[in-house]
Amino acid sequence: MEAFTTHTGRGVPLRRSNVDTDQIIPAVWLKQVSRTGFEKGLFAAWREDPAFVLNDPVYEGASVLVAGPDFGTGSSREHAVWALQQYGFRAVVAARFGDIFRNNSTKMGLLPVVLPAETVEALQSAIEADPATEVTVDLSARQVRWGAEAAGFEIDDYTRWRLLEGLDDIGLTLRHADDVETYENGRQSWLPTTV
Amino acid sequence: MGRTLAEKVWEQHVVRRADGEPDLLYIDLHLIHEVTSPQAFDGLRIAGRKVRRPDLTIATEDHNVPTVLGPIADPVSKAQVETLRKNAAEFGIRLHPMGDAGQGVVHIIGPQFGLTQPGMTVVCGDSHTSTHGAFGALAFGIGTSEVEHVLATQTLPAYRPKTMAIEVSGELPFGVTSKDLILAIIAKIGTGGGQGHIVEYRGEAIRGLSMEGRMTVCNMSIEAGARAGMIAPDETTFEYLRGRAHAPTGDAWDAAVAYWRSLRTDDDAAFDTVVEIDASTLAPFVTWGTNPGQGAPLSGAVPVPEETSDPAAAQRALDYMGLSAGTPLSEIQVDTVFVGSCTNGRLEDLRAVAEVLRGRTVAARTLIVPGSMQVKADAEAEGLHEVFTAAGAEWREAGCSMCLGMNPDILAPGERSASTSNRNFEGRQGKGGRTHLVSPAVAAASAVTGRLTAPADL
């Protein structure tokens, strides 16, 4: 996983609530067996509308998505995270996230930042007023900064450490293989197997 | 203080607990399908890792498969299914391919085989894994990184979510089903209402549901944002499991049942959040918008956006759905009716549809898709397929079908459906398609009239 410490880039305001993962990447894109090329499918249906915010040239090259509440609800497809990252996003700011999307993001190094709804709206307004606004997402300090503003965000210590170091969960778990084996030896004999 | 059902199952699966770290949870059953697994198997190969417990893993082909006999025409879908076959063979995982008698939608076959049992942890790279919570299992959807993690370690690191009780008192009125109940719950608490929680559905109305009805309720927990949904096991659960292929037998059965009986929330346990609903006030329920929380009783009307909790979202939804505020929901014409999916593709659902369609004729394109080949065989043994075809409906092979736009069963742009599936998101059933989520009984009645209709109004 790519480490995340501090990122500074321009933002895109996505003023829609309940952006489900079917919108982030429609199902037809999920037929691929590779991990690459999903940027073309990002918001594929919405991008057909010339008025959609990602089609506005002033936001070209932006890397922080500032979304409405309940971003990433619905399907567990991690392809949504891959699509956002491959398009160029490093962080998503929203008041609430779908649980699975948020989990998937932290496994891949896309930082989900939870801020109060009013703060998210203030950030969206600042970006709309000046699309060149630089937004800094500082995981070390647990803070988002833009212009003269700064807002703190919460993230648990363990996930923060894993992201800062760019550590792979599987490698971390395999350090505890003995614990897994001990647990397995104590499982109830009636539990089913698939064989 | 006592513990909730969710806490009991969680604690039973903690492999390792350390301060400042998520718990490491053991996973009893890992369900695999073709869509969210290929990149996970690639990851194993790159790292030179094996599947730790192929004997706790099972795979099926469901999302991409056509529901008419014959090979997969789309080369990209075909390649994905073939990739699963290669991975299952390479890593020694049991697979139920298209055409196999055990094939079906991943969340239908687990319970059908008796692989889903009370007190287990069940995961799958699919958000509707919450279905299995109907047995008192802790079951939740995961992404592909976590699929790889479970394949490699049979564990997952996770923080225990908060607990929520949804207490459903009273009895469901005649003609009101588990689907109406869960749609009403989602409309009440919202698509984010369950975020960060494991929901336990409780109360008289829940106890009165069959296992199939309980699966429908737990299936859509994710549409309320919940991490998982659970129902404490009881005699209904045990009777469903008894005699199934992978259920314990003999002394092991008795020992298992004794343990399963302990899987209930203690009287003095406390939930972080409690929601109360009176089942006796409910009626057939449908969605009018583009998320599962945008629903209303079928006897009502399309709402005025300004009168909803999120006017901008409601207006966007009405624009997409081509609806006007104030239109009675029962006047909305549908082009297609879809019966099936992991939400409502089980035998009981098909019986409910047959009861309405018997002796009637459909007025809209109607697809009836069994959730598994076993459901198909069971339905045909009862002659349900004859009722469907006599009414003019199409009786198909098992698969996810029109629940999501990954196989040939899709809506055309602008086409409107009444669907027993779980998501009415924009484009979910095909780009530009418009979806109204309904129960199997309402789907059948709507097929007869060509507009959203409750069976009582036929």
Side-chain angles (χ1 to χ4, degrees):
Chain A
M1 179 177 75
E2 196 178 351
F4 191 108
T5 48
T6 292
H7 172 76
T8 299
R10 285 177 292 111
V12 186
L14 179 60
R15 286 190 184 267
R16 292 182 187 187
S17 60
N18 261 305
V19 175
D20 58 77
T21 55
D22 273 78
Q23 306 316 312
I24 300 172
I25 184 112
V28 303
W29 291 87
L30 274 51
K31 298 178 183 181
Q32 306 295 332
V33 296
S34 69
R35 258 186 197 266
T36 55
F38 292 103
E39 69 279 7
K40 293 192 284 290
L42 181 70
F43 297 118
W46 290 354
R47 272 159 76 188
E48 289 181 10
D49 173 6
F52 182 57
V53 69
L54 281 193
N55 291 328
D56 188 334
V58 304
Y59 297 119
E60 208 175 304
S63 54
V64 179
L65 183 64
V66 187
D70 297 313
F71 186 84
T73 54
S75 160
S76 66
R77 59 189 71 172
E78 195 164 305
H79 311 64
V81 175
W82 304 338
L84 286 161
Q85 285 184 310
Q86 289 163 14
Y87 186 86
F89 288 111
R90 296 293 320 277
V92 183
V93 179
R96 289 197 305 267
F97 287 95
D99 287 335
I100 304 177
F101 174 84
R102 180 149 69 151
N103 225 14
N104 291 342
S105 297
T106 68
K107 304 293 179 191
M108 288 301 299
L110 175 74
L111 187 67
V113 178
V114 179
L115 291 178
E118 317 80 72
T119 313
V120 175
E121 282 176 31
L123 177 54
Q124 288 173 332
S125 297
I127 295 167
E128 284 161 354
D130 179 7
T133 301
E134 295 272 295
V135 182
T136 295
V137 181
D138 185 341
L139 179 60
S140 305
R142 293 182 165 100
Q143 203 177 52
V144 179
R145 297 185 291 273
W146 69 97
E149 306 293 323
F153 63 89
E154 287 183 20
I155 184 167
D156 70 90
D157 292 342
Y158 183 83
T159 304
R160 174 173 166 274
W161 166 72
R162 222 172 31 73
L163 285 163
L164 288 172
E165 301 290 330
L167 294 173
D168 159 32
D169 261 343
I170 298 177
L172 293 172
T173 297
L174 288 174
R175 294 179 191 174
H176 307 300
D178 289 352
D179 294 325
V180 179
E181 199 169 331
T182 303
Y183 180 90
E184 275 179 335
N185 292 334
R187 291 176 78 230
Q188 293 291 352
S189 58
W190 71 70
L191 284 163
T193 68
T194 56
V195 292
Chain B
M1 195 172 72
R3 294 183 300 165
T4 64
L5 166 63
E7 287 162 345
K8 289 181 182 182
V9 178
W10 185 281
E11 291 301 321
Q12 184 66 35
H13 289 85
V14 176
V15 168
R16 179 175 182 275
R17 176 168 284 162
D19 276 351
E21 293 184 25
D23 287 345
L24 191 62
L25 280 191
Y26 199 79
I27 303 303
D28 291 320
L29 178 65
H30 188 190
L31 306 158
I32 302 271
H33 61 85
E34 74 275 15
V35 181
T36 54
S37 65
Q39 297 88 351
F41 283 112
D42 278 347
L44 291 185
R45 269 190 290 269
I46 290 165
R49 289 168 179 152
K50 293 181 170 165
V51 175
R52 183 181 177 90
R53 296 296 301 265
D55 62 328
L56 302 183
T57 312
I58 187 169
T60 186
E61 299 167 0
D62 56 4
H63 287 61
N64 279 274
V65 306
T67 58
V68 290
L69 287 174
I72 300 178
D74 176 356
V76 189
S77 284
K78 188 161 177 270
Q80 188 163 59
V81 167
E82 284 171 353
T83 299
L84 178 66
R85 291 177 189 177
K86 280 186 221 147
N87 285 329
E90 179 181 340
F91 290 94
I93 293 167
R94 171 175 161 189
L95 167 69
H96 291 286
M98 278 169 60
D100 183 88
Q103 181 265 343
V105 178
V106 67
H107 307 307
I108 305 268
I109 66 167
Q112 175 184 298
F113 289 133
L115 283 167
T116 305
Q117 297 175 16
M120 289 172 60
T121 45
V122 181
V123 298
C124 174
D126 189 285
S127 59
H128 292 108
T129 309
S130 56
T131 310
H132 307 265
F135 291 80
L138 175 61
F140 51 92
I142 57 178
T144 298
S145 291
E146 290 184 315
V147 169
E148 185 180 339
H149 194 287
V150 176
L151 288 172
T153 70
Q154 204 58 33
T155 66
L156 267 185
Y159 289 102
R160 187 171 66 72
K162 290 189 277 191
T163 57
M164 173 184 286
I166 297 186
E167 300 272 359
V168 190
S169 61
E171 278 181 53
L172 289 172
F174 181 76
V176 181
T177 69
S178 55
K179 182 66 167 285
D180 302 308
L181 169 61
I182 188 63
L183 287 173
I185 288 171
I186 299 164
K188 180 181 171 90
I189 72 172
T191 55
Q195 270 170 21
H197 289 79
I198 299 171
V199 170
E200 182 183 336
Y201 301 96
R202 300 158 56 83
E204 185 187 350
I206 299 295
R207 296 262 72 86
L209 293 177
S210 66
M211 282 316 297
E212 304 205 340
R214 294 178 189 185
M215 283 188 255
T216 300
V217 170
C218 288
N219 172 276
M220 291 190 72
S221 301
I222 180 68
E223 312 317 335
R227 202 72 189 84
M230 301 177 83
I231 294 172
D234 59 12
E235 296 304 323
T236 303
T237 320
F238 310 149
E239 281 314 303
Y240 179 95
L241 279 168
R242 191 192 300 274
R244 289 190 184 262
H246 290 269
T249 54
D251 291 345
W253 170 265
D254 295 337
V257 171
Y259 172 62
W260 295 344
R261 288 190 198 283
S262 74
L263 297 173
R264 50 181 294 280
T265 293
D266 296 326
D267 293 340
D268 57 344
F271 290 89
D272 295 302
T273 312
V274 177
V275 173
E276 292 180 349
I277 290 188
D278 180 357
S280 66
T281 64
L282 298 178
F285 213 88
V286 301
T287 62
W288 48 264
T290 54
N291 73 55
Q294 291 174 324
L298 177 48
S299 56
V302 176
V304 177
E306 290 71 29
E307 293 169 7
T308 68
S309 58
D310 189 345
Q315 186 58 58
R316 264 191 58 80
L318 294 195
D319 293 344
Y320 180 86
M321 294 294 288
L323 295 173
S324 307
T327 303
L329 292 167
S330 60
E331 288 180 9
I332 295 173
Q333 305 270 335
V334 297
D335 307 299
T336 290
V337 172
F338 169 60
V339 174
S341 83
C342 59
T343 311
N344 282 125
R346 287 168 287 265
L347 185 60
E348 184 179 287
D349 302 313
L350 301 181
R351 285 178 181 152
V353 171
E355 194 175 322
V356 175
L357 289 187
R358 200 178 300 275
R360 295 190 169 106
T361 306
V362 299
R365 173 170 76 130
T366 303
L367 265 64
I368 303 180
V369 183
S372 70
M373 294 305 281
Q374 184 64 53
V375 169
K376 180 169 192 267
D378 291 346
E380 291 182 354
E382 292 183 13
L384 301 185
H385 63 308
E386 287 163 1
V387 177
F388 302 148
T389 51
E394 297 176 42
W395 174 237
R396 296 291 190 90
E397 305 297 313
C400 294
S401 186
M402 202 180 268
C403 178
L404 85 173
M406 281 196 76
N407 57 67
D409 301 341
I410 54 172
L411 296 178
E415 193 177 352
R416 187 182 299 280
S417 77
S419 175
T420 68
S421 55
N422 40 55
R423 292 191 170 133
N424 51 341
F425 298 153
E426 290 180 28
R428 172 76 180 183
Q429 296 189 291
K431 196 172 155 194
R434 295 161 167 167
T435 304
H436 296 275
L437 300 178
V438 299
S439 72
V442 169
S446 304
V448 171
T449 62
R451 55 187 172 76
L452 295 179
T453 303
D457 294 329
L458 284 178

